[in-house]
Amino acid sequence: MTFFEFAKRNLKRHWVRTLLAVIGIVIGVVAIATLGILGNSINLMVGDMVSDVGDTLVVTPAVSGGGMFGGVSGGKLSGRQVEDIARAAGSNRVIPIATAFDRLETGNLDRGVQIYAMHADDIPYLLERESGTFPKETTAGILIGKQLAEAGEKDGLRAGSRVQLGGETVRVLGVLEERGLSFDINPDYAVVVPYRWFSDRYDRNDYDQVIVKVRDVRNIDSVRMDIEDRMNRRDRVVSVMDTGRIMESIMSAYGQITIFLMGIGAISLIVAGVSILNVMMMSVTERIREIGILRSIGTLRSEVMRMFLYEALILGLMGAVIGGVLSFAGGLLMTALFLEDTSYLFNLTSIMYIVFGMAFGIATSVASGIYPAWNAAQLNPIEALRHE
Amino acid sequence: MPIISFKDVTKIYPLPAGDVRALNHVSLEIEAGEFVSLMGPSGSGKTTLLNVMGSLDVPTSGEVYINGARISVMDDDELTHLRRDHIGFIFQHFNLIPLLSVVENVEYPMILKTKKGGRACTKRAAEVLHAVGLEDELFTHKSNELSGGQQQRVAIARALVNDPAILLADEPTGNLDTKTGSGIMDLLVQMNEAGKTIVMVTHDPRMAEYSHRIIRIEDGVLI
Ligand SMILES: Nc1ncnc2c1ncn2[C@@H]1O[C@H](COP(=O)(O)OP(=O)(O)OP(=O)(O)O)[C@@H](O)[C@H]1O
Ligand SMILES: [Mg+2]
């Protein structure tokens, strides 16, 4: 039987009040941790993308509205324009891409797919192959994205199989490696075809976007300016997106979002702290006489203080442990729901947010307990004993 | 040397409506082993006198010596240790701790003193509880499940457990019927015969008869 036991029994005696105080802490811990995890997961995901495309400029036909993301505008880039861009880009690699949308059928699978057409020698430069072979410029063969391959697996969609693309039978030459979300092209759910075949099949000689891979990332700004100078001299013909820079600003925005989200969490914990303070003050006021008895039979001020601080500590520990478990579950749910990838959760920083949330919860509880505990310890034993 | 000695002790409670002089130049001496009754009308300062004897309260002026220790030079922790180790308090309203069982109430001052609980504490508590006439089956009860007489016996056991030299009782039979009250008085006499110095506040002359000496107080002055 110790002061800790005393604290435990008092909390049990007023279990409803205890429960409410714990719930307050739990909410605060969960808010801090899950919001932190979500922010961190976004950061990590965006960070992955940055390293992918940091050296990339995406040139698209200018839209009147000045839209940022390619592929939505009605305008096209002609072969001449692409040549101009290539000249402006100097020795940096220029990859023109045309896009279309068509129907893909095989077995029971029947769906629309995005088509990316590229010159055959650009394909291995931009994309990685998981199985099969890359097409030659003239072959009537296609590559399929990883996710698409998985979706069509039970319908026999794999390297070597035959499918109907827009009603025409073509061979699947290979499957691409998963590439993830990106600013230039997103081939995971798409098919990639050689440009010559595409041009014949869809009767097109133009392009929808041009990707410029800048060899030295430090030159990315000057390359962009060169392209803009050359292309937009009279009219705004193209817009050039510097993916690295966009990523940077998105990153810093997400960093601020993370701080903001955690700030909300912190505020909810402070509210929980105030409620603990309130609960503890009530507990002290109700027990004035009891404190008088304890003091009269030889309990030190510091021991009375300890007894009440243990109460706050127990509230904090319970809230932190429950909150920690729920945060993990919540983080799992939120990242799965919003980011569709839970691997970011099992990352040291994400775990740190849970630990941080728990520590903050315990610290808030104990801090809220200090004043009531000190109050209890300072009571005059005579006055306390006279209290009815 | 007397075990309790007051030299010209005055206790003033400052109140907004005017100071209350609860003790007015009180000097007294109580020898070790005495059984003293403290009598006087309501509000005369009996509880105040007892609280000062018990180092629960400090005088406004004058000197108090308890068990050889000079109260005026001691800080709060030292006064608390004095209460814990050398003084047993018995109250009119029993004042058991509701969160604790009977045996835990008695163990509590021992745990404060030894800083650890355990079997030795429980054994000693059981011994003292037996000595005040309580049966084993009551030990695990909560204090509010006991009768007034039983609660006062537990309170006496709690006061005795650290084997203090002095027992201070503020109307220990005030909330008990006559028969139960005389049972408690027999117990106090027994403790006094075992060597404890006892100071007891009472209104009841029949209870005062158990003691060796009666100190009378009126308006904070001994008469
Ligand atoms: N803590 C206090 N603050 C202010 N005044 C007090 C305090 N304690 C006692 N007094 C006053 O001091 C005087 C003596 O009080 P005390 O409690 O010692 O009397 P008492 O003899 O024990 O009375 P009773 O027989 O009613 O218990 C009273 O006038 C009381 O109102
Ligand atoms: Mg009194």
Side-chain angles (χ1 to χ4, degrees):
Chain A
M1 211 279 311
T2 57
F3 298 113
F4 194 77
E5 178 72 21
F6 246 110
K8 233 169 68 188
R9 286 192 197 179
N10 192 51
L11 290 173
K12 220 186 269 172
R13 174 165 62 173
H14 301 291
W15 65 271
V16 176
R17 200 198 279 170
T18 302
L19 191 72
L20 291 175
V22 168
I23 288 173
I25 293 292
V26 167
I27 291 172
V29 170
V30 169
I32 285 199
T34 44
L35 296 178
I37 290 170
L38 181 65
N40 183 52
S41 299
I42 292 173
N43 262 343
L44 288 174
M45 194 173 82
V46 172
D48 281 0
M49 283 159 67
V50 155
S51 48
D52 278 359
V53 299
D55 59 348
T56 303
L57 292 172
V58 180
V59 185
T60 49
V63 205
S64 39
M68 234 187 11
F69 295 87
V72 286
S73 75
K76 305 285 180 198
L77 295 168
S78 67
R80 285 244 339 239
Q81 286 174 313
V82 171
E83 278 167 33
D84 278 345
I85 293 169
R87 235 167 269 137
S91 63
N92 293 301
R93 181 112 184 189
V94 170
I95 305 170
I97 297 172
T99 58
F101 197 81
D102 213 332
R103 189 164 166 196
L104 179 83
E105 292 164 275
T106 176
N108 290 323
L109 185 83
D110 183 355
R111 56 179 287 174
V113 289
Q114 176 82 39
I115 301 169
Y116 291 107
M118 287 185 244
H119 293 290
D121 53 341
D122 286 337
I123 299 175
Y125 188 82
L126 193 63
L127 303 171
E128 310 269 347
R129 165 186 60 168
E130 189 182 87
S131 63
T133 55
F134 284 118
K136 297 211 177 57
E137 188 72 10
T138 49
T139 36
I142 64 168
L143 296 167
I144 56 174
K146 176 73 176 146
Q147 307 267 21
L148 182 61
E150 275 170 13
E153 200 175 359
K154 58 181 182 302
D155 295 298
L157 186 60
R158 70 178 95 81
S161 67
R162 284 176 187 282
V163 297
Q164 304 270 99
L165 183 61
E168 186 168 321
T169 305
V170 291
R171 244 175 102 81
V172 177
L173 296 175
V175 178
L176 296 167
E177 261 184 20
E178 186 157 349
R179 195 154 180 267
L181 204 55
S182 202
F183 273 120
D184 45 14
I185 66 172
N186 296 296
D188 289 348
Y189 281 100
V191 303
V192 174
V193 302
Y195 189 79
R196 176 79 66 81
W197 178 84
F198 174 86
S199 168
D200 291 346
R201 174 79 182 74
Y202 292 92
D203 192 22
R204 292 221 350 224
N205 293 307
D206 52 19
Y207 300 90
D208 292 276
Q209 58 174 314
V210 175
I211 294 170
V212 179
K213 287 280 178 194
V214 180
R215 222 176 295 113
D216 188 343
V217 186
R218 282 167 299 180
N219 293 335
I220 199 153
D221 267 342
S222 69
V223 175
R224 197 194 65 193
M225 301 235 276
D226 288 347
I227 295 173
E228 281 186 339
D229 284 352
R230 188 177 191 108
M231 304 302 294
N232 295 342
R233 205 172 307 153
R234 258 162 303 176
D235 295 314
R236 224 175 104 71
V237 177
V238 297
S239 57
V240 184
M241 177 169 75
D242 175 348
T243 54
R245 172 168 305 189
I246 290 171
M247 284 320 234
E248 256 169 43
S249 56
I250 290 179
M251 280 273 271
S252 85
Y254 276 128
Q256 280 162 357
I257 289 173
T258 305
I259 291 170
F260 176 72
L261 292 177
M262 288 189 57
I264 293 176
I267 289 171
S268 66
L269 249 189
I270 288 167
V271 172
V274 171
S275 92
I276 286 196
L277 185 94
N278 192 32
V279 163
M280 300 271 304
M281 285 309 281
M282 268 163 80
S283 175
V284 171
T285 312
E286 283 170 359
R287 293 167 71 192
I288 287 180
R289 193 178 160 81
E290 197 179 319
I291 294 163
I293 300 167
L294 292 173
R295 295 279 285 122
S296 71
I297 59 178
T299 312
L300 293 168
R301 278 194 176 136
S302 57
E303 287 165 337
V304 171
M305 177 128 182
R306 222 159 77 208
M307 206 160 84
F308 281 90
L309 278 181
Y310 280 142
E311 279 191 28
L313 181 68
I314 293 172
L315 290 175
L317 281 174
M318 291 206 296
V321 169
I322 299 171
V325 172
L326 289 183
S327 302
F328 195 79
L332 206 65
L333 198 74
M334 271 172 58
T335 48
L337 224 60
F338 296 148
L339 307 179
E340 293 173 345
D341 186 354
T342 54
S343 66
Y344 293 113
L345 179 65
F346 299 95
N347 161 281
L348 189 65
T349 320
S350 291
I351 301 297
M352 283 304 294
Y353 277 113
I354 296 182
V355 173
F356 177 74
M358 291 173 72
F360 205 67
I362 294 171
T364 309
S365 308
V366 174
S368 310
I370 289 174
Y371 177 68
W374 183 84
N375 245 314
Q378 293 309 309
L379 282 174
N380 177 335
I382 307 279
E383 307 275 351
L385 271 176
R386 282 161 62 98
H387 194 88
E388 284 312 317
Chain B
M1 199 176 80
I3 193 161
I4 297 172
S5 136
F6 277 48
K7 290 192 167 62
D8 200 25
V9 169
T10 296
K11 176 72 193 182
I12 296 170
Y13 290 111
L15 290 181
D19 291 355
V20 177
R21 216 170 250 271
L23 297 177
N24 199 356
H25 300 288
V26 170
S27 295
L28 61 78
E29 287 184 347
I30 294 169
E31 298 297 329
E34 267 197 286
F35 187 164
V36 177
S37 286
L38 197 53
M39 298 189 80
S42 187
S44 55
K46 305 182 293 295
T47 297
T48 305
L49 186 58
L50 206 69
N51 285 343
V52 175
M53 283 181 185
S55 77
L56 208 51
D57 210 346
V58 287
T60 311
S61 68
E63 286 293 346
V64 176
Y65 296 85
I66 298 165
N67 216 8
R70 187 171 162 212
I71 296 300
S72 59
V73 297
M74 292 164 78
D75 66 16
D76 191 83
D77 281 6
E78 288 169 330
L79 292 174
T80 306
H81 283 144
L82 181 67
R83 289 200 293 279
R84 186 190 70 190
D85 300 344
H86 302 294
I87 294 160
F89 272 101
I90 301 161
F91 303 93
Q92 179 178 354
H93 298 286
F94 324 132
N95 283 353
L96 298 177
I97 298 157
L99 279 178
L100 304 181
S101 71
V102 163
V103 69
E104 285 169 341
N105 259 285
V106 179
E107 279 177 283
Y108 179 77
M110 263 190 99
I111 293 169
L112 286 182
K113 187 174 177 179
T114 59
K115 305 290 177 211
K116 56 177 196 285
R119 197 162 299 153
C121 269
T122 314
K123 192 159 160 272
R124 163 81 181 147
E127 255 173 50
V128 185
L129 279 166
H130 287 146
V132 300
L134 274 156
E135 304 296 331
D136 284 43
E137 57 264 28
L138 292 175
F139 287 10
T140 54
H141 285 237
K142 285 269 139 63
S143 55
N144 55 12
E145 296 163 6
L146 269 52
S147 73
Q150 287 169 330
Q151 285 191 52
Q152 196 59 300
R153 283 170 193 272
V154 176
I156 293 172
R158 180 180 68 185
L160 288 170
V161 77
N162 278 343
D163 200 21
I166 304 165
L167 283 183
L168 302 175
D170 198 346
E171 300 188 46
T173 60
N175 269 25
L176 301 173
D177 60 70
T178 318
K179 185 162 168 287
T180 319
S182 43
I184 295 295
M185 288 314 300
D186 288 336
L187 195 55
L188 288 181
V189 169
Q190 192 189 321
M191 295 307 150
N192 177 241
E193 280 165 1
K196 307 286 179 209
T197 307
I198 299 181
V199 181
M200 175 183 74
V201 171
T202 185
H203 283 292
D204 190 339
R206 284 173 300 173
M207 299 302 169
E209 276 171 23
Y210 287 88
S211 61
H212 306 155
R213 172 155 76 108
I214 297 175
I215 296 177
R216 293 183 192 276
I217 182 169
E218 226 167 88
D219 288 332
V221 181
L222 298 192
I223 50 172

